[in-house]
Amino acid sequence: MRARLAGNALITFSWTGVMCSYALGYQAVHRDAKALERHTRLWAQGLARGWGMEVEAHDVDRVPRDRPCVLLANHQSHADVVALFLALPVLPVFLAKRELQAVPLFGRIMETGGHVFIDRAKHDRAIETIDDAARRLRPGNPLLVFPEGTRGARLEVQRFKKGGFHLARKAGVPIVPVGIRGSRAVWPREAAAAVPGRVVIHVGEPIPPEVVTSSPLDTLMDDVRERISELSALPIAER
């Protein structure tokens, strides 16, 4: 098992470094968004193959292609991002913590891909980021948020933060709940690398923009949390 973990850690860092370097070099010359999407999927495919991770997806056609939307998903593992890149019919832009922007190569490729960084420690800056992200949402490029804010310590759906909901309300777009199953077994929070396994993605029915904007915020958050709990087959944390 230790040898497998070490091998998968090597695959993760080396393949990520190679693909980030190649994609950044290509973009410096061509500025081709479609090519960046292809390179992103190739990165995810290489990692999944190297880890021995299989991805199964259900109802992904519920993700709108003709209008912007906000995807909200539970978060158990680093493997979630790779699985979502493989499962979803269109590549999402992530609302990510500011610390990722400082990761060599990876942070730069996220900037190039249009991912949005939020400084959760500075409330005013976070609000500005959400306002800017709401203005930039466009069809065929959904924005994905992990409303728990970080990987869960237990197999539960933790309390949600409000950022993704404020963003959807400001933009007047649908919220699409997403449930992720099995990713914690592939890459446990306490582990240094991934192990073989299966991740299953379930996409729920979109919540129409008129419901998103008119529902009381707490009611909307509770509704989405219940939907994600059902889609992910995880209980709601009591605290």
Side-chain angles (χ1 to χ4, degrees):
M1 176 61 74
R2 288 184 178 180
R4 179 78 197 209
L5 283 172
N8 281 0
L10 179 62
I11 289 169
T12 301
F13 290 108
S14 60
W15 182 242
T16 297
V18 166
M19 286 305 303
C20 285
S21 298
Y22 177 77
L24 285 171
Y26 190 95
Q27 289 300 311
V29 176
H30 299 284
R31 298 291 182 182
D32 184 346
K34 291 297 183 183
L36 185 57
E37 290 185 9
R38 293 195 303 271
H39 296 151
T40 300
R41 288 199 191 274
L42 181 60
W43 167 75
Q45 289 165 1
L47 288 185
R49 189 176 299 115
W51 296 343
M53 181 180 77
E54 298 178 4
V55 178
E56 178 183 321
H58 298 271
D59 298 317
V60 293
D61 57 330
R62 289 173 169 170
V63 178
R65 295 181 184 235
D66 60 346
R67 66 185 307 176
C69 69
V70 172
L71 307 176
L72 297 179
N74 61 301
H75 194 22
Q76 289 281 317
S77 168
H78 286 312
D80 292 335
V81 173
V82 174
L84 289 165
F85 278 151
L86 293 176
L88 296 176
V90 291
L91 287 184
V93 170
F94 281 84
L95 186 67
K97 59 183 180 182
R98 175 70 65 181
E99 292 85 344
L100 289 176
Q101 195 172 17
V103 177
L105 291 178
F106 190 73
R108 184 72 187 94
I109 200 67
M110 288 190 71
E111 289 180 19
T112 303
H115 299 279
V116 180
F117 298 97
I118 187 167
D119 189 344
R120 293 177 295 190
K122 297 180 179 178
H123 183 67
D124 291 343
R125 292 289 300 276
I127 292 175
E128 290 177 8
T129 301
I130 288 170
D131 288 344
D132 182 57
R135 288 191 295 270
R136 288 196 287 148
L137 279 176
R138 58 188 184 275
N141 195 196
L143 191 141
L144 193 142
V145 181
F146 294 123
E148 293 164 293
T150 189
R151 291 168 292 152
R154 296 181 298 274
L155 285 171
E156 299 173 328
V157 179
Q158 306 300 311
R159 292 179 62 86
F160 283 176
K161 298 182 182 300
K162 298 178 180 179
F165 296 90
H166 282 309
L167 196 157
R169 288 158 74 93
K170 284 179 177 292
V173 300
I175 286 176
V176 182
V178 180
I180 305 173
R181 306 182 185 186
S183 64
R184 184 178 175 84
V186 170
W187 195 335
R189 178 172 171 165
E190 62 277 6
V195 296
R198 176 183 290 270
V199 177
V200 183
I201 307 291
H202 288 269
V203 179
E205 290 280 359
I207 300 173
E210 57 271 20
V211 176
V212 171
T213 55
S214 65
S215 298
L217 183 59
D218 288 343
T219 301
L220 178 65
M221 292 175 68
D222 287 344
D223 179 26
V224 173
R225 196 171 177 219
E226 289 176 4
R227 294 187 190 210
I228 291 177
S229 170
E230 181 178 350
L231 292 164
S232 64
L234 293 175
I236 293 175
E238 293 183 1
R239 296 183 181 181

